[in-house]
Amino acid sequence: MSEPKDLSYILTHLGEDRSQYFDAVIPPIVQSAMFAHPNVATMRTRVADEFASHVYTRGQNPTVEIVAKKIAALEGAEAALMFGSGAAAMAAAALSVLRAGEEVLCVDKPYAWTRTLVKSHLQRFGVNGRLLDACDPAEVAAAITDKTRLIILESPNSLTFEQQDLAAIAKIAKARGIITLLDNSFATPLGQSAIELGIDLVAHSATKYLNGHSDVLAGVVAGSEKLIREMFHGPYMTLGAILSPHDAWLLLRGLRTLPVRLKQIAETTETVLRYLEQHPKVARVYSPWASSYSQFGLTQQQLRHGSGLLSIELKIDRVEQVDHFVDRLDRFLIAASWGGYESLVFPVAGVRNWPSLDFPASVPVGLIRFSIGLESSDVLIADLEQAFQVM
Ligand SMILES: *Cc1c(COP(=O)(O)O)cnc(C)c1O
């Protein structure tokens, strides 16, 4: 697969018309709720096509649009909409496509709130949600019924990293007129080009790598102009889960350095991964690049480069030993989320009792996920080693 076209142009110039704002190098934060029209005729024209005009910031806003254009270009998509979170992006995409009486198929270990969306919220509106493993495209083909309208994929997922064959599933779905929606947060548009593989809608939690600085919640959905326009006039304007101009500006700042951050993070993570794989106190390492990973064929087929996420299971007899190990770590902050400049550790044992966070039973309670940041691998490995010593 090819990298997105002229990455440098997209990140540095695309969507930025500096003549509109005093030739400033950096675009302004257009912190305005609404836009004034020079006369009634112009107002009439603009409201007739609000998707392509500036009327009200719950619709389009110039600062937010710059980020949307860049991410659409990175994904090779015609258009994109920004949201106030990744969860909002996934929910709006699903609500835009589905009608009562229809059915959605979803991978069985997606991000927890995607699972909740499919299993409980959509059911309340008469949409049947079915979870399936989806590692084998034939299983997806067999699960499709006349009612199936949407297939939600997440490849790889962000905890145990199962993948789906995107091209194969997209082909099966297209033949039946079914829309496919992929959560591409793990790989980013630089690591995986899903539109090119035939996926219709690609969503991200831009809170993760796209922003990369752990200071903004944001989401995005990219796809054809037709699907994105439908989403705009439907759940986007109705729910109003928008990204504020200020947060869009911060996201733009983070996005500029995406390739260098990912390159550094992938390199460090590879070193940490190999260290963990040979460690006598580690029972199993989870990563699409782990030696024991059973879907390495898909890694080679779909993913262009590494990421900073990996999980381990320790050799332990009691779950409390997870607490001991994690509490001892000094350079990894204990926190949910991932994709920032700073390394994090996320023990599943610490969130099992999180109300309405519904982990599938197949996720081991002893699982510990790391998000590797921009620190040096020496520092991180030394920290892990001292924590292993006290276990
Ligand atoms: C974090 C995350 C989300 C949700 O994004 P928010 O920005 O936190 O709402 C969705 N999918 C994946 C894979 C995530 O990691």
Side-chain angles (χ1 to χ4, degrees):
M1 277 190 295
S2 48
E3 283 259 333
K5 289 210 176 54
D6 199 347
L7 188 54
S8 304
Y9 177 77
I10 295 171
L11 293 175
T12 312
H13 301 296
L14 183 106
E16 297 176 70
D17 183 356
R18 298 182 171 101
S19 68
Q20 299 278 325
Y21 36 83
F22 316 107
D23 294 315
V25 169
I26 303 302
I29 303 171
V30 181
Q31 192 73 25
S32 183
M34 63 282 195
F35 300 85
H37 314 289
N39 50 52
V40 178
T42 306
M43 181 188 210
R44 196 173 289 123
T45 318
R46 288 180 183 167
V47 300
D49 189 4
E50 192 168 358
F51 181 75
S53 314
H54 298 134
V55 177
Y56 194 63
T57 283
R58 180 155 40 75
Q60 299 287 17
N61 171 283
T63 311
V64 181
E65 277 173 294
I66 293 173
V67 192
K69 280 185 184 148
K70 286 186 193 290
I71 297 176
L74 291 176
E75 284 292 0
E78 288 171 8
L81 285 175
M82 303 307 304
F83 292 86
S85 71
M90 289 298 290
L95 289 173
S96 182
V97 170
L98 292 161
R99 306 283 177 277
E102 292 178 340
E103 185 173 72
V104 52
L105 301 180
C106 179
V107 287
D108 61 0
K109 282 197 263 173
Y111 181 68
W113 293 104
T114 302
R115 195 176 153 92
T116 305
L117 172 75
V118 169
K119 273 188 62 185
S120 35
H121 294 295
L122 292 175
Q123 311 271 356
R124 290 174 51 219
F125 301 96
V127 173
N128 186 35
R130 278 199 291 150
L131 301 173
L132 72 173
D133 172 71
C135 285
D136 178 4
E139 187 203 358
V140 179
I144 290 172
T145 70
D146 291 345
K147 296 201 165 72
T148 310
R149 176 68 185 135
L150 175 68
I151 301 176
I152 301 181
L153 305 170
E154 190 179 311
S155 184
N157 72 46
S158 61
L159 205 54
T160 46
F161 316 113
E162 284 85 355
Q163 291 182 75
Q164 300 96 52
D165 186 330
L166 300 181
I169 295 175
K171 196 169 165 214
I172 292 164
K174 268 210 169 66
R176 305 284 297 263
I178 297 165
I179 304 282
T180 45
L181 164 64
L182 171 78
D183 184 330
N184 200 24
S185 304
F186 175 101
T188 85
L190 304 193
Q192 178 164 264
S193 299
I195 302 265
E196 196 176 298
L197 296 175
I199 297 294
D200 297 305
L201 292 170
V202 179
H204 291 271
S205 168
T207 311
K208 313 295 164 51
Y209 289 123
L210 298 184
N211 181 56
H213 291 72
S214 302
D215 49 10
V216 169
L217 262 94
V220 58
V221 184
S224 68
E225 186 172 328
K226 179 174 176 288
L227 287 177
I228 294 297
R229 272 182 178 269
E230 281 169 18
M231 204 176 302
F232 177 84
H233 293 293
Y236 187 80
M237 288 298 289
T238 313
L239 301 176
I242 59 159
L243 185 66
S244 74
H246 185 256
D247 282 350
W249 188 88
L250 283 168
L251 172 55
L252 177 62
R253 173 196 252 231
L255 192 64
R256 307 255 194 220
T257 56
L258 179 67
V260 276
R261 282 187 285 112
L262 283 180
K263 186 160 179 279
Q264 173 75 30
I265 285 172
E267 216 175 280
T268 309
T269 307
E270 170 79 16
T271 310
V272 174
L273 171 68
R274 298 309 161 208
Y275 158 78
L276 289 168
E277 281 193 321
Q278 55 73 48
H279 204 284
K281 290 187 176 168
V282 175
R284 182 169 170 194
V285 180
Y286 294 75
S287 156
W289 291 271
S291 327
S292 62
Y293 186 67
S294 63
Q295 295 180 295
F296 192 65
L298 283 180
T299 303
Q300 289 174 305
Q301 188 180 312
Q302 297 180 163
L303 296 174
R304 269 189 296 268
H305 57 68
S307 147
L309 281 181
L310 77 168
S311 300
I312 59 170
E313 274 179 87
L314 299 174
K315 284 186 187 148
I316 50 169
D317 333 300
R318 294 170 297 117
V319 179
E320 300 84 83
Q321 289 172 279
V322 169
D323 293 29
H324 297 157
F325 171 74
V326 172
D327 287 350
R328 181 74 194 193
L329 291 168
D330 212 28
R331 298 297 187 113
F332 294 83
L333 300 172
I334 306 172
S337 196
W338 49 275
Y341 67 94
E342 78 291 15
S343 289
L344 301 176
V345 57
F346 176 79
V348 168
V351 295
R352 278 274 170 179
N353 60 350
W354 199 337
S356 74
L357 203 78
D358 167 32
F359 275 108
S362 56
V363 174
V365 67
L367 197 82
I368 300 169
R369 183 187 69 196
F370 297 100
S371 173
I372 303 298
L374 294 172
E375 304 91 338
S376 84
S377 56
D378 293 352
V379 163
L380 298 178
I381 288 173
D383 191 39
L384 290 163
E385 188 55 36
Q386 61 81 27
F388 281 127
Q389 294 308 325
V390 301
M391 252 176 75

